[in-house]
Amino acid sequence: MENLTSYISISPEIRFGKPCIKGTRIAVTDILQWMASGMSREEILDDYPTLQDIHIRAVLSY
C-alpha cells in the first residue's frame, strides 16, 4: 500500500503552513473545496496540469 501522505507537505513558508501538495502551492483545502463545488477529478486535473490523480487520492486520504 502506498503512503499517500508522502505527497503532502506542511511548511510555514508556504500558504501559512496549510497542508499542500508537495512541490506546489495547491492546498489540501483547495482541492476539497473544488470537489465540494462539483468539480470532477478530470476537471481539476485539466485545470491544474501539475496535479496527478495520486495527489487527489492523497488529499482524500488525508
Side-chain angles (χ1 to χ4, degrees):
M1 181 169 192
E2 294 177 82
N3 183 8
L4 294 174
T5 57
S6 67
Y7 293 98
I8 297 173
S9 65
I10 299 173
S11 172
E13 292 85 31
I14 300 173
R15 300 282 308 262
F16 304 102
K18 290 181 181 178
C20 293
I21 300 299
K22 274 191 182 171
T24 74
R25 296 181 56 80
I26 300 172
V28 167
T29 56
D30 294 336
I31 295 173
L32 292 175
Q33 288 174 346
W34 297 331
M35 293 184 90
S37 73
M39 284 183 80
S40 69
R41 287 180 184 217
E42 292 78 20
E43 289 172 319
I44 294 169
L45 296 173
D46 285 343
D47 287 352
Y48 299 91
T50 57
L51 291 178
Q52 299 173 13
D53 189 64
I54 189 79
H55 297 130
I56 294 176
R57 287 191 290 139
V59 164
L60 293 174
S61 74
Y62 185 76

